Amino acid sequence: MVGPLRPVFVLFGSSIVQYSFSNGGWGAILADVYARKADILLRGYTGWNSRRALQVVDKIFPKDAAVQPSLIIVYFGGNDSIGPHPSGLGPHVPLPEYTENMSRIADHLKSLSEKTRIIFLTCPPINEELLRQSTSAALSEIVRTNETCQRYSEACIKLCNDMDVKAIDLWTAIQKQDDWANICFTDGIHLSSAGSRIVAEEILKVLKEAEWEPSLHWKSLPTEFGEDSPYDLVTSDGISTINPSEWTFHREIQWD
């Protein structure tokens, strides 16, 4: 650990989480927005389904940890929704079991601390044709459709409503983007920078609107070591300095 202690935000999920710091990913966006305000920790596991996540959730988030996360953002479901393989192998998890697994994950996370907040991300849509074109010949056919993604997305939303957990409906949000199927993915399922911007925007919207105490919206959190200093850059009048700790001009998008 390094100090001073900041709020800890953990991103927990499958490849959409593991890859979230690549190519302008949404995890990297959050890390930039929350610079000097919160630490963004990545716990992403490519190819995982909710069954594997449930097996280790208590190891990733031990109840006896000295410091518990302030926020946990969870994404599983895309791999669960892949059609079953005749061998019985593979990531498919039937919808009722997926719902039960996610419920148990939510229960565990809610037990960590009264101040630990949780957001679940639903399955995004996919570009089925691009997925077919980009699937490696080393893999058997991946049966994954927008229809099944929608069913798992809707199940996640219902679960969150029942358990009072914040849910972000990526299946709907991404499809609001013009030409979403062609610009939001790198291979039909994993997010491009354009797709990640949508995810980041939806997360920041929830964090701004949530009636949580304390607020976890980036504008509500203190900036570490943000006090004025004589060592800051000198102003044009040559008699004072200007504090750069809140500058955001470097961002292509001025996030709300």
Side-chain angles (χ1 to χ4, degrees), residues 72-203:
I72 304 171
I73 300 176
V74 181
Y75 169 72
F76 291 101
N79 294 314
D80 300 65
S81 74
I82 292 174
H85 193 271
S87 67
L89 300 172
H92 172 72
V93 174
L95 187 57
E97 183 190 345
Y98 165 74
T99 303
E100 175 63 20
N101 291 344
M102 296 300 282
S103 174
R104 293 173 64 185
I105 289 170
D107 277 336
H108 178 80
L109 299 181
K110 292 174 77 172
S111 74
L112 297 177
S113 163
E114 291 182 357
K115 294 296 186 180
T116 296
R117 310 304 183 184
I118 305 165
I119 299 173
F120 276 15
L121 308 179
T122 77
C123 286
I126 64 172
N127 180 327
E128 296 179 25
E129 179 57 31
L130 184 57
L131 173 61
R132 281 191 289 270
Q133 294 173 7
S134 60
T135 299
S136 169
L139 298 174
S140 63
E141 180 185 8
I142 297 176
V143 181
R144 187 166 174 178
T145 68
N146 262 326
E147 181 182 356
T148 56
C149 288
Q150 182 180 17
R151 290 206 306 270
Y152 281 70
S153 174
E154 291 173 347
C156 183
I157 292 170
K158 182 179 185 305
L159 167 69
C160 289
N161 289 338
D162 292 343
M163 298 190 69
D164 193 27
V165 170
K166 299 290 186 185
I168 293 178
D169 180 2
L170 293 184
W171 197 84
T172 299
I174 286 177
Q175 292 186 78
K176 291 179 180 178
Q177 170 69 51
D178 291 342
D179 200 26
W180 64 269
N182 292 317
I183 69 171
C184 288
F185 308 101
T186 59
D187 56 5
I189 53 176
H190 297 113
L191 298 171
S192 65
S193 59
S196 274
R197 285 195 294 270
I198 295 171
V199 177
E201 181 178 11
E202 293 296 318
I203 291 171

Side-chain angles (χ1 to χ4, degrees), residues 11-32:
L11 316 181
F12 176 45
S14 54
S15 55
I16 282 180
V17 170
Q18 181 172 331
Y19 301 161
S20 68
F21 275 68
S22 296
N23 305 317
W26 59 273
I29 292 171
L30 293 179
D32 175 50

